[in-house]
Amino acid sequence: MHETTSIGNSEDSILSLPLAKEQAQEQAARHNLTFEGPAADFFEGALLGNGGLGVVLTTRPDAVMLHFGHNNVWDIRIAEQHAEEIMTFKEVYKRFEALPAELAQLMDNPWYREYCEMAGDNYSKSYPRPMPCGSLLLRYDRRTAEVLGHTLHIGDGRCTVEFLVQGKRAVLEVFVDAVQDRLWMSVCNSANGEALSLFHEARLIPDPNTPSVFPPAVIDVDPVAGVLSFTQVLPCVEAPEVPYSGYEQDKAFRLAVRIAGAVPSAGGEGDRLSIADTGSGFSACAELWEGHRTVIQQAAAQMHPPELSGYTDARQRTNDKWLEYWECSSVSLEDEYLERVWYRNLYFLNCSVREGVTCPGLFANWSYGSIGSEWHGDYHMNYNTQQPFWVAFSSNHLDKHLPYADMVDHVLPVSQQWARDYYGLRGAYFPHSAYPVEMTMMPYPVPHWGWEVCETPWTVQSLWWHYLYSMDEAFLRSRAFQPIREAVRFMADYMQRPEARGPRWNDDCYHIFPTVVPELYEIAPGFARNSDGLIDLTLTKFIFHAFIRACAVLGLEEAEDGLLAEVQEILNQFPEYPTAESNAGQVFVSVAGENPEVVYNVPVPLATVFPGEEHGLHSSPEEYQTAVESYRNHRNEGGNELVFQALAGARLGILDLERFKRQIAYCLLPNGTCTDRVLMSGGRYPDTADFDFMSRMGVWFENFSLPAVINECLLQSYNGVLRFFPNWPEQQRAEFRSLRAVGGFLVSAAFEAGEVQWIEVFSEAGADLSFYIPWAYGAECTGDSVGRQICTGGTGTLQTVAGETLRIVKHSRK
């Protein structure tokens, strides 16, 4: 299956070490994606990218078509009307209190119906949205050439397209430069590597759904340089003046392609070039520039792709970058399907997100026409935006989380403003939806989803995870602490409001009221389902405890004494989690009084397991049983559970991996990504629902987090104690290298014949290491600082030194 290295332990037994770093790329390459025949549809095409630039390569019987997108390129227009009509939270709350509790639904009230239409008017516009960056069509003569299929090489980020050209096999190689926003292409004879000609025409096509109010794209043809290009202005105003003269905040992008052997089009068309057979074969480079309009327009004449002689160097640096990426962590699993899921989705993650580039929205950096525009392709804070970054921690790709931290910085000012001006409270109320464009108000202030209080602690949760998994105090101080504190300030104020405490509640607790259960009840008449949502409570408790610990780490207890006292008081009088009796026993429900048979869209009853991280294999038997029965009782209509629900199952050690694999297969698209598909009607979906209605909306960025589920089956550390192979079949072999754990540890281990074979832990920060001992007679631990220690009992604890590696093996009774 793979090569191993052998070392001797203290008793001279032979151990198998995990994949060497240089082997990780080879392991990834085992899971290339191959498509036979033409792949003409967007969702059949190969996905390429460097975290900024994204390209979808499709093949037609007559042409290769490449669709370009970029995380930085958006239609930046934004509607921000009705600021005065939206009123304040207190004013709207009083209106709600005055409405009859006997209403079947609030939408039956004319005022509320009209208010929601007004408050949702801005969001009903088609903008902002990711802006597709055009397409490149390379036409070939199908009388002499036939496409056979393509292979996406995930080990090094290449796509090869196989052709028959006059009876000879030829291959088109395409890759996105890992360092610059360039796409490189070349054609050669498959047998001997000689350069071949294939295409006879190139055409650059602005996106067909470019808004008609935009200034038309400016297309340039330079046959002498062999360059074809177009420049598209992105106005900042909703309806640009005619004739257009430009605005200060406008942006633009320019797409250009340099082609060897290009000559003027035989038909004289101004948007294409003919490609002559010069005997030196086909090679080309496309490049995308984006930024402020004046910069792009003024420098357009100099914005030509590089000389094609740079192909080899670009190929080498791109390979080096992919090698560096795969060296961060690796797995070798007897279950080949799960191994494939792990490597392919981490490939897609690397293509779609990168430090220093705008945080991706729902559909990342791949778009064309209306694909990628649903819900503005924006940031949804009730799981969609958070989920794709769950994989960054355990997979040891912390840099992939930094664009998310940038996004939090971006939305923090408007969130503080909303807390102050709308709620009249301190801190920051983070939005239900947000855009990577300048905002002066909440994009979606409609109460029935805009009042989801859980989104405030949820938005900042992963900032604390970043610290826990890295132990990077500089990050905690400079990037994480302020947003966490602002979220805590808001939640403390919100729970101390007169409406959230007092005689009406018949207890001394501080309540979260009103709130909205994600994707379920909206605002109910009489607020019947709008207090103390399970996910609100568990995430608020999480972020309160994170704040307390952050203050201790940073030495800020005195500076934050007042807020710390408030937080502790609230925690001392915290509401109980809502439960109900199901046929299987007590289960968590999303809100008090709920029927446990309700059909959910988001797996809210599992929130205390994940993302709340309060319950799991470490819990008391009673709490664990309630969490397990909640998982087994849960009914989900599909779309928002593929990663979410499975991750909770893994945390509980009860995830059925065979069923998990079948669900992945159900959601799988021809391009290798998983879409969101419906699982059942009876909730929000009627019996006549199209179960595939979300499949063509775009490439679902959130599902690239599937490897996080597999990681949790191999290693868990969320409670600060490492647990090995907690959800792995006894008779299946598995090993992993450099999965990241809480405490700043990089962990490697192997499992075979129902037993952990060995463990290796590298300590980045010198934190104390705690682990559940997986052997009956204890663990033998060796390292520079610990020497040789025997740990027995349920858990072992070792003091570590930054930079050292600890080796842990089974201790025999002798």
Side-chain angles (χ1 to χ4, degrees):
M1 297 289 290
H2 62 275
E3 296 180 7
T4 60
T5 306
S6 297
I7 65 167
N9 70 355
S10 59
E11 298 182 359
D12 296 325
S13 62
I14 302 301
L15 301 177
S16 166
L17 280 181
L19 291 164
K21 287 186 175 183
E22 58 269 17
Q23 292 175 291
Q25 189 177 41
E26 298 174 16
Q27 189 78 353
R30 295 179 56 204
H31 302 292
N32 295 337
L33 278 151
T34 299
F35 191 97
E36 294 185 2
D41 185 75
F42 183 93
F43 296 98
E44 296 174 331
L47 301 182
L48 301 164
N50 62 10
L53 177 66
V55 179
V56 180
L57 184 153
T58 62
T59 55
R60 308 185 335 198
D62 67 331
V64 171
M65 189 83 152
L66 300 119
H67 305 295
F68 292 80
H70 199 287
N71 282 325
N72 287 348
V73 179
W74 277 65
D75 177 348
I76 60 173
R77 296 175 298 160
I78 186 169
E80 294 189 318
Q81 311 301 320
H82 312 293
E84 298 298 326
E85 300 166 76
I86 288 172
M87 305 188 291
T88 66
F89 169 79
K90 287 183 179 179
E91 291 170 333
V92 177
Y93 176 82
K94 288 180 180 179
R95 291 284 193 105
F96 280 156
E97 276 195 315
L99 295 176
E102 298 76 23
L103 285 172
Q105 57 181 1
L106 284 187
M107 280 295 186
D108 292 340
N109 177 267
W111 168 79
Y112 183 62
R113 186 170 57 252
E114 292 172 7
Y115 179 84
C116 287
E117 290 174 358
M118 176 274 299
D121 180 49
N122 292 334
Y123 198 78
S124 68
K125 305 294 193 296
S126 61
Y127 45 84
R129 61 154 293 189
M131 183 66 199
C133 298
S135 304
L136 172 64
L137 184 142
L138 298 170
R139 198 185 308 275
Y140 58 86
D141 189 340
R142 61 183 302 266
R143 293 170 297 184
T144 57
E146 178 187 2
V147 64
L148 302 178
H150 71 260
T151 298
L152 182 61
H153 303 265
I154 70 169
D156 56 9
R158 291 178 303 127
C159 181
T160 53
V161 185
E162 297 286 337
F163 290 89
L164 273 179
V165 181
Q166 295 183 335
K168 297 179 180 179
R169 284 191 172 256
V171 61
L172 166 68
E173 181 180 75
V174 184
F175 66 92
V176 170
D177 195 313
V179 177
Q180 296 165 302
D181 290 334
R182 295 170 179 166
L183 182 86
W184 297 85
M185 297 166 278
S186 70
V187 177
C188 69
N189 186 305
S190 298
N192 56 25
E194 292 181 353
L196 281 179
S197 293
L198 173 62
F199 303 107
H200 63 82
E201 185 180 72
R203 185 185 177 201
L204 215 48
I205 308 171
D207 191 79
N209 279 26
T210 300
S212 59
V213 296
F214 281 14
V218 177
I219 300 175
D220 294 314
V221 178
D222 185 346
V224 176
V227 173
L228 182 64
S229 65
F230 80 87
T231 301
Q232 177 65 62
V233 170
L234 305 172
C236 64
V237 299
E238 296 183 70
E241 61 186 16
V242 180
Y244 169 80
S245 58
Y247 304 88
E248 184 178 349
Q249 295 179 324
D250 289 353
K251 294 191 176 182
F253 68 87
R254 177 177 172 83
L255 180 64
V257 58
R258 183 190 296 273
I259 302 171
V263 296
S265 168
E269 293 92 343
D271 62 350
R272 65 197 71 195
L273 285 169
S274 294
I275 305 172
D277 184 355
T278 62
S280 58
F282 171 83
S283 60
C285 179
E287 185 162 8
L288 181 74
W289 295 267
E290 43 77 24
H292 288 289
R293 173 184 59 84
T294 53
V295 173
I296 298 297
Q297 287 182 327
Q298 290 172 6
Q302 288 77 45
M303 289 179 174
H304 282 187
E307 296 297 330
L308 301 177
S309 59
Y311 187 98
T312 302
D313 289 343
R315 184 71 200 88
Q316 184 60 54
R317 67 172 172 262
T318 297
N319 180 75
D320 292 345
K321 282 293 185 180
W322 278 101
L323 176 61
E324 180 183 322
Y325 179 74
W326 293 121
E327 285 177 345
C328 289
S329 60
S330 59
V331 300
S332 178
L333 310 177
E334 186 173 331
D335 191 317
E336 188 174 354
Y337 190 91
L338 289 178
E339 184 178 295
R340 184 185 312 142
V341 169
W342 196 90
Y343 279 102
R344 287 183 177 178
N345 281 280
L346 283 176
Y347 165 82
F348 295 132
L349 182 77
N350 197 33
C351 289
S352 56
V353 61
R354 187 177 85 222
E355 181 181 357
V357 177
T358 299
C359 181
L362 291 171
F363 307 110
N365 49 353
W366 297 291
S367 59
Y368 173 71
S370 62
I371 296 171
S373 65
E374 291 291 335
W375 298 290
H376 299 265
D378 66 8
Y379 304 134
H380 269 49
M381 300 301 189
N382 60 353
Y383 103 91
N384 304 86
T385 306
Q386 294 92 332
Q387 179 170 296
F389 297 96
W390 296 344
V391 73
F393 304 103
S394 57
S395 292
N396 193 24
H397 292 291
L398 286 177
D399 61 299
K400 297 298 181 186
H401 180 246
L402 295 177
Y404 181 91
D406 293 338
M407 183 276 299
V408 175
D409 290 342
H410 170 71
V411 301
L412 180 59
V414 73
S415 301
Q416 292 170 312
Q417 173 190 314
W418 197 251
R420 181 185 66 247
D421 298 342
Y422 181 71
Y423 282 99
L425 303 177
R426 298 175 299 170
Y429 181 89
F430 287 93
H432 174 66
S433 292
Y435 312 122
V437 303
E438 293 303 316
M439 298 173 291
T440 62
M441 59 182 290
M442 288 297 182
Y444 193 83
V446 184
H448 56 237
W449 302 131
W451 282 12
E452 288 185 37
V453 179
C454 67
E455 292 170 334
T456 287
W458 208 345
T459 297
V460 300
Q461 179 185 44
S462 65
L463 301 178
W464 177 243
W465 280 339
H466 195 113
Y467 167 71
L468 289 181
Y469 280 84
S470 67
M471 305 304 289
D472 184 347
E473 288 189 23
F475 178 88
L476 178 60
R477 187 180 300 276
S478 65
R479 301 298 308 276
F481 185 74
Q482 184 192 8
I484 289 173
R485 179 182 57 195
E486 292 302 283
V488 168
R489 281 175 170 168
F490 178 84
M491 293 307 304
D493 276 9
Y494 196 71
M495 296 180 75
Q496 292 177 97
R497 291 166 35 252
E499 298 86 354
R501 193 169 190 250
R504 64 184 293 177
W505 296 96
N506 296 316
D507 61 31
D508 292 327
C509 294
Y510 294 88
H511 296 273
I512 299 179
F513 169 79
T515 187
V516 176
V517 177
E519 307 285 348
L520 198 56
Y521 295 121
E522 305 180 2
I523 298 292
F527 299 113
R529 293 288 186 268
N530 300 115
S531 62
D532 294 334
L534 181 72
I535 196 163
D536 303 296
L537 294 173
T538 189
L539 285 171
T540 298
K541 188 182 290 187
F542 179 100
I543 210 64
F544 279 0
H545 285 298
F547 175 69
I548 293 170
R549 290 180 61 187
C551 287
V553 170
L554 299 176
L556 297 174
E557 291 100 331
E558 185 175 344
E560 299 293 340
D561 179 64
L563 184 56
L564 283 168
E566 293 177 47
V567 166
Q568 194 58 63
E569 166 68 15
I570 295 170
L571 286 172
N572 291 339
Q573 304 292 335
F574 209 76
E576 296 291 329
Y577 291 148
T579 60
E581 286 298 320
S582 72
N583 293 332
Q586 181 176 264
V587 297
F588 292 117
V589 290
S590 70
V591 67
E594 182 176 75
N595 184 338
E597 293 299 302
V598 70
V599 178
Y600 294 90
N601 183 263
V602 177
V604 175
L606 313 179
T608 65
V609 177
F610 188 86
E613 298 193 327
E614 188 169 351
H615 297 138
L617 288 167
H618 69 287
S619 297
S620 68
E622 296 79 12
E623 290 180 333
Y624 177 75
Q625 189 61 32
T626 300
V628 166
E629 294 305 334
S630 301
Y631 178 83
R632 290 174 173 161
N633 185 69
H634 180 69
R635 301 206 301 169
N636 198 288
E637 64 191 2
N640 297 336
E641 87 309 320
L642 180 61
V643 174
F644 201 156
Q645 186 173 350
L647 205 156
R651 284 280 176 92
L652 292 167
I654 58 173
L655 175 63
D656 183 337
L657 288 174
E658 295 303 315
R659 186 170 186 175
F660 177 52
K661 286 153 59 177
R662 290 191 293 270
Q663 188 174 355
I664 292 172
Y666 171 67
C667 296
L668 205 60
L669 294 178
N671 61 13
T673 69
C674 283
T675 188
D676 286 348
R677 295 191 73 189
V678 175
L679 293 174
M680 63 183 295
S681 60
R684 297 183 307 172
Y685 302 132
D687 288 341
T688 55
D690 175 7
F691 273 38
D692 206 31
F693 81 95
M694 287 178 280
S695 293
R696 298 197 63 81
M697 290 180 176
V699 177
W700 285 92
F701 177 50
E702 64 197 44
N703 289 331
F704 298 166
S705 208
L706 278 166
V709 178
I710 300 168
N711 293 345
E712 294 295 326
C713 295
L714 302 173
L715 174 71
Q716 294 181 12
S717 67
Y718 62 92
N719 68 331
V721 186
L722 273 60
R723 189 187 297 271
F724 302 95
F725 303 98
N727 199 118
W728 197 254
E730 281 196 7
Q731 298 309 313
Q732 282 194 20
R733 179 194 58 78
E735 66 181 63
F736 59 85
R737 183 186 60 76
S738 295
L739 293 186
R740 182 172 284 275
V742 166
F745 298 110
L746 298 181
V747 185
S748 305
F751 183 85
E752 193 167 1
E755 187 173 69
V756 177
Q757 300 297 302
W758 51 264
I759 301 162
E760 192 172 86
V761 181
F762 176 76
S763 176
E764 283 189 338
D768 287 351
L769 172 67
S770 296
F771 63 99
Y772 294 101
I773 298 172
W775 303 288
Y777 299 108
E780 179 179 318
C781 313
T782 58
D784 293 339
S785 66
V786 302
R788 179 174 179 267
Q789 290 189 25
I790 306 300
C791 296
T792 58
T795 60
T797 300
L798 301 169
Q799 292 182 334
T800 74
V801 173
E804 77 168 325
T805 298
L806 302 175
R807 294 175 180 83
I808 306 173
V809 297
K810 180 180 179 180
H811 176 62
S812 63
R813 281 191 289 182
K814 68 179 182 180

